Amino acid sequence: MSDTNQYFNSKEFLKILHQYEAARQTGSSVYLEAEDLTDIAEYYHSKDDMEGAEEVIDYAIQLHPGSAVPLAYKARKALLVDFDAKKADAIAEEITDKTDLDYYYIKAEIMIADGREDEADGYLKDRLNDISEDDREDYYIDVANLFIDYQQDGKCKEWLMRSEEKDSDDYKELEGRLAMYAGDFKQSERIFTDLINRDPFSYTLWNQLASSQLRSNNIQEALQSSEYAIAINPDDGEALLTKAGCLLALRNYEQAVEYYRRYTKLCPKDEYGELLYGVTLFNINRPEEALLHMKRAEQIAQGISGYLQEIYQQIAFTESTLKHPKEALEYLQKAMLQPDANMNELLVMKGHIHLENQQLDAAEQSFKHAIAGSGMAPIILLHVAVSFYDNGYPESAYNVLQKMMEMTDSDWKDGYAYLAMCCYELKKKDEFLAALRKACQINPAEAEIVLGSLFPDEMEPKDYYNYIINNQE
């Protein structure tokens, strides 16, 4: 298994790249194979040079009309960047050889991206009759990869089981990804660790291991794996993003900011990276800078990103913090107009904006609508309570939390740390101790975040209660 970056650094590729770039600089033409020109486009794409990538693909199509590889690349761009399945299909139909594997793959991918997974599966099964025995194993693995890239784990597993090369690296990597997506993180990490032992310089494998570790909340291990990936390839965006996310989870905001900065410089057209950069800046009390990056994320998203609602909410929250309630409410309204918007959650946020800007009556009205609309859902009550607490109304927060406790069952774990903090500030000593003990027992992570400021640095939540008992006046 070899990483794409290794090929891009090879003498073979660099020679081809030099030939192309030398010809482009002099305005002359150069004959290169369609596959080589598409590799150059992939290289430019990896450097976020979309104009360069498009230019070389158009040149490849001009030089090799009807060639499957560059046309499949162009169709995939129409599908994944322009979100235009019809345009992608029209480009794919320009491929001359309708028995080329790349034609099969792009046609199936268009179906999958368009929500027609079963149709794609049937289409690919029908094509099996046209696949030579020599190509069958590659076909099984390629199709399995195609389905897993679109979170179609069941179909991926079905195609993977057709392969007989069960000890191959490609097969094992797919097994590792399937285990990770199924939540079997121990199995996933074991598979990726074994693969890394075979190929310790594969940054993609280190990224896969880091992703599995992050999903299983092994933050320190994920951080270490991402660092190995970065050591192998300092310009790997996935590893930079993972490391930044680990640092953010560990609340090491200053370092996280640096890695989000590096990531957004490397991938300036990724709205999610800009959004996270902004959120991290907000967490270190730099809201003006945060807002710039959040609005840049909005600009990149251009009305088609799946992150738009989150972007709008974060901008609203930041505008409110900057005491711009009008702008905050305008962005909140945009969030409310998004498909699948959770209106009750957004009404809580509306109340928070009013509360943060000393509009208590309006805040209470929004909170009441959210609570009523949710049927007094405990999670909504908790969010209302947190808003009251964060804005300096501990007694109101306490009252809402009491109501929340009435609505929860024995499995409920959230909010006890906030209740303890309210009791602490309201000098309800016995209730504070009871809530503190329960918070540390059932939700130590929340206890550390909410109550940590009351205790010595590095003290673990399991020791909070005894510390208070032993230091009472």
Side-chain angles (χ1 to χ4, degrees), residues 401-460:
L401 287 167
Q402 290 292 327
K403 180 60 67 176
M404 182 196 79
M405 299 305 176
E406 295 174 10
M407 307 299 295
T408 59
D409 55 29
S410 58
D411 294 331
W412 185 261
K413 296 182 178 181
D414 300 323
Y416 287 96
Y418 284 99
L419 180 60
M421 203 64 174
C422 290
C423 292
Y424 177 82
E425 294 193 11
L426 296 170
K427 304 192 184 307
K428 297 176 181 289
K429 184 177 178 181
D430 292 341
E431 290 183 60
F432 165 65
L433 289 172
L436 172 66
R437 170 176 261 176
K438 188 152 190 176
C440 294
Q441 287 175 343
I442 67 173
N443 197 338
E446 183 188 73
E448 184 177 9
I449 292 168
V450 179
L451 298 162
S453 61
L454 302 179
F455 300 93
D457 292 343
E458 310 302 325
M459 179 175 283
E460 295 183 16

Side-chain angles (χ1 to χ4, degrees), residues 365-385:
Q365 285 301 312
S366 292
F367 290 151
K368 285 178 181 177
H369 287 310
I371 292 168
S374 70
M376 296 191 70
I379 190 65
I380 294 296
L381 289 164
L382 175 59
H383 292 168
V384 169

Side-chain angles (χ1 to χ4, degrees), residues 195-245:
L195 286 169
I196 286 168
N197 289 335
R198 299 186 191 185
D199 186 3
F201 295 104
S202 170
Y203 65 89
T204 58
L205 289 174
W206 282 110
N207 280 334
Q208 295 282 18
L209 179 60
S211 181
S212 184
Q213 291 165 332
L214 192 58
R215 285 168 180 253
S216 61
N217 207 36
N218 291 324
I219 308 299
Q220 290 289 356
E221 292 87 345
L223 179 64
Q224 186 177 47
S225 296
S226 68
E227 287 171 344
Y228 280 120
I230 292 167
I232 297 165
N233 179 12
D235 292 330
D236 179 48
E238 183 179 349
L240 293 171
L241 196 59
T242 300
K243 181 168 183 179

Side-chain angles (χ1 to χ4, degrees), residues 247-258 279-280 283-284:
L247 292 167
L248 186 61
L250 294 168
R251 302 199 297 282
N252 188 341
Y253 300 124
E254 294 287 351
Q255 282 195 47
V257 161
E258 172 58 20
V279 169
T280 310
N283 280 319
I284 56 173

